[in-house]
Amino acid sequence: MSWRLLPNDLPDWRLIYYYFYRWSKQDLVQQIHDQLVTKVRLQAGREASPSLGIMDSQLVKTTSVTTLKGYEGNKKLTSRKRFIVVDVLGFVLALRLTSANVGERAGALLLFTSLNQRFARLKTILADQGFDGVNFLSTAKSTYQPTVDVVCGERLSASAQALAC
């Protein structure tokens, strides 16, 4: 993030950076995020912890000098890739940034380590066909808490429809 580009109505960027860095090292940013998600879910009449997540990835074109970028052959871009899991309300449950040459399944496994059993009720994660594969699905099932349900097009399985309600 370009700290010097923060709006003028905020405190000095160095002070904001100091607290962000300090809180990030203590994992406090993650704790604040998770508590806010829980609070808003309860206010919306939902359970505190989601039972269903939705996973996807997206290429993000970059021109920055960071080392976290790679060449994506299909789209012929130098970019990053972000992997994300959201709940049915759209709240981010996990996010991982990688270089663009990281595959869908490898990125998903990194994403699952970010979830780290933070959401006790999370049982199913819906994903598109890019995350399909017998080895990946069996590894995900045996290693991590949620089950990955690959959705084809707009059709949801009966279990996914029941969980989404």
Side-chain angles (χ1 to χ4, degrees):
M1 178 174 187
S2 299
W3 293 99
R4 295 169 198 245
L5 299 177
L6 289 171
N8 292 331
D9 59 341
L10 293 176
D12 184 68
W13 68 269
R14 290 171 283 241
L15 181 65
I16 294 173
Y17 176 77
Y18 168 79
Y19 280 105
F20 177 79
Y21 180 76
R22 185 174 170 190
W23 292 353
S24 293
K25 283 183 73 169
Q26 298 170 349
D27 205 29
L28 191 57
V29 173
Q30 185 70 59
Q31 292 173 33
I32 292 170
H33 170 269
D34 291 350
Q35 288 180 10
L36 286 173
V37 167
T38 298
K39 182 176 181 175
V40 175
R41 285 184 58 81
L42 290 171
Q43 288 175 345
R46 299 283 186 154
E47 294 286 335
S49 178
S51 62
L52 178 70
I54 303 153
M55 175 172 56
D56 204 359
S57 68
Q58 181 180 29
L59 282 174
V60 182
K61 189 175 178 179
T62 183
T63 57
S64 72
V65 294
T66 182
T67 58
L68 187 61
K69 61 183 175 182
Y71 186 73
E72 205 285 320
N74 291 332
K75 298 195 180 187
K76 298 180 179 16
L77 287 175
T78 299
S79 54
R80 299 177 193 166
K81 193 179 279 188
R82 62 179 161 221
F83 293 88
I84 190 168
V85 174
V86 298
D87 69 1
V88 294
L89 297 176
F91 295 117
V92 176
L93 304 179
L95 173 71
R96 285 300 290 256
L97 295 175
T98 66
S99 60
N101 53 349
V102 172
E104 304 290 310
R105 288 162 260 188
L109 294 176
L110 292 172
L111 193 61
F112 290 161
T113 60
S114 296
L115 280 171
N116 196 24
Q117 299 182 1
R118 291 187 353 250
F119 302 98
R121 291 184 64 241
L122 187 60
K123 301 295 180 212
T124 303
I125 295 179
L126 302 179
D128 62 28
Q129 291 177 324
F131 297 95
D132 203 359
V134 176
N135 291 339
F136 165 70
L137 294 174
S138 64
T139 300
K141 185 175 184 177
S142 65
T143 310
Y144 301 101
Q145 176 184 342
T147 301
V148 177
D149 191 358
V150 176
V151 179
C152 303
E154 294 184 16
R155 295 174 294 161
L156 290 177
S157 67
S159 63
Q161 288 176 353
L163 287 170
C165 297

